[in-house]
Amino acid sequence: MDNQSKPEVTRESGWEREVIEKLALAAITEQTRARRWGVFFKSLMFVYLIAVFGVAMYPKLKQDIGVDSKDHTAVIDVVGMIAEGKEANADSIIESLRNAVKDKHTKGIILHANSPGGSPVQSSYVYEEIRKIKKEHPELPIYAVVSDICASGCYFIVSASDKIFVNPSSLVGSIGVLMDGFGFVDGMQKLGVERRLFTAGAHKAMLDPFSPSKEDETQYIQGLLNQVHQQFIGAVKAGRGDRLKENPDMFSGLVWTGEEGVKLGIVDGVGNQDYVAKELIGAETQVDFSRQEHLLDKIAGKLGASFGQVIGSMVQGASLR
């Protein structure tokens, strides 16, 4: 009996061992396949990131290694709201201007203007940089070409250029300063809301929208706006000179079409970028020197700057818009 049962035990043990080996082999094969797919997807992601980085850096690399080795017109954007933390900020525009000037193949600069204005401080920084470049490089023309709108702080900037060109339907001007806000005093009284505000300093709550305005503080704010307005007017007069055909409305904050702006002397003529690059600068090839926003800044959304803008809006800073 014992001899007859042994072959059955051996046969059963061999079967179990074979199944275990197959399972182990299948597991190893699956792990190997998973590793290969993991390596494949990691490699694909690496290639993708390299491609994104290459696309982002290509314009800068072209400038650095001299791919654009023929004479060209440098184009720099002044687009959108002009403010620190926005794409149209003084640091970005000034860096772009300096990079264009350093390039030995730059034969002229075009400021592509399409902005409703913004910070008087940021606008003044760029204005002064353009004036400095014109003084140090008188042979390098700087023109502004307006597309849809060039108002207030944007016009502050382009008034420093050699000439300003527009479309007949462009909107230009708005040489003025504003500070806006709201007052909720009557609404709070109707709702029965009591305002509790503690300050150290007689005028610390000067712009508080939940407190009644005071005549002396209103006059003080108006004086500040008048000072900034006069600085704006002085910059425009220095930039435009005898071309301005002054009238009582010129510095009132009104805007005009490009066609009317030519008659008033606030702009020089009708023309687009292609015309200015080819006919005036003499370098038909246009190279964008506008500083590009960093990818990480776009992803992060510039949270710090956004927070600062919220705080700034609460105190209602003066604005050229």
Side-chain angles (χ1 to χ4, degrees), residues 82-211:
I82 301 167
E84 190 169 7
K86 297 290 188 179
E87 287 193 25
N89 64 81
D91 287 343
S92 294
I93 299 173
I94 289 173
E95 180 181 331
S96 301
L97 285 165
R98 291 175 179 174
N99 288 338
V101 171
K102 286 190 296 185
D103 192 310
K104 63 181 181 180
H105 296 290
T106 296
K107 297 306 175 186
I109 297 173
I110 290 177
L111 299 172
H112 169 218
N114 189 14
S115 167
S119 163
V121 176
Q122 297 288 302
S123 301
S124 180
Y125 285 154
V126 181
Y127 174 93
E128 294 298 336
E129 180 67 22
I130 295 172
R131 301 271 289 183
K132 178 183 176 184
I133 291 172
K134 287 172 60 177
K135 183 178 179 180
E136 296 176 351
H137 304 274
E139 78 291 347
L140 186 67
I142 301 178
Y143 299 119
V145 177
V146 178
S147 51
D148 296 304
I149 184 170
C150 179
S152 215
C154 180
Y155 187 75
F156 191 146
I157 289 173
V158 303
S159 65
S161 63
D162 294 310
K163 288 186 178 181
I164 305 171
F165 293 90
V166 295
N167 181 277
S169 299
S170 299
L171 296 179
V172 293
S174 187
I175 305 172
V177 187
L178 68 81
M179 181 180 289
D180 56 0
F182 298 92
F184 299 99
V185 178
D186 293 339
M188 291 173 61
Q189 290 176 349
K190 291 179 180 180
L191 293 172
V193 178
E194 178 187 0
R195 172 65 164 158
R196 296 175 180 175
L197 177 66
F198 305 95
T199 65
H203 302 290
K204 188 62 179 177
M206 183 165 54
L207 298 175
D208 178 45
F210 304 104
S211 300

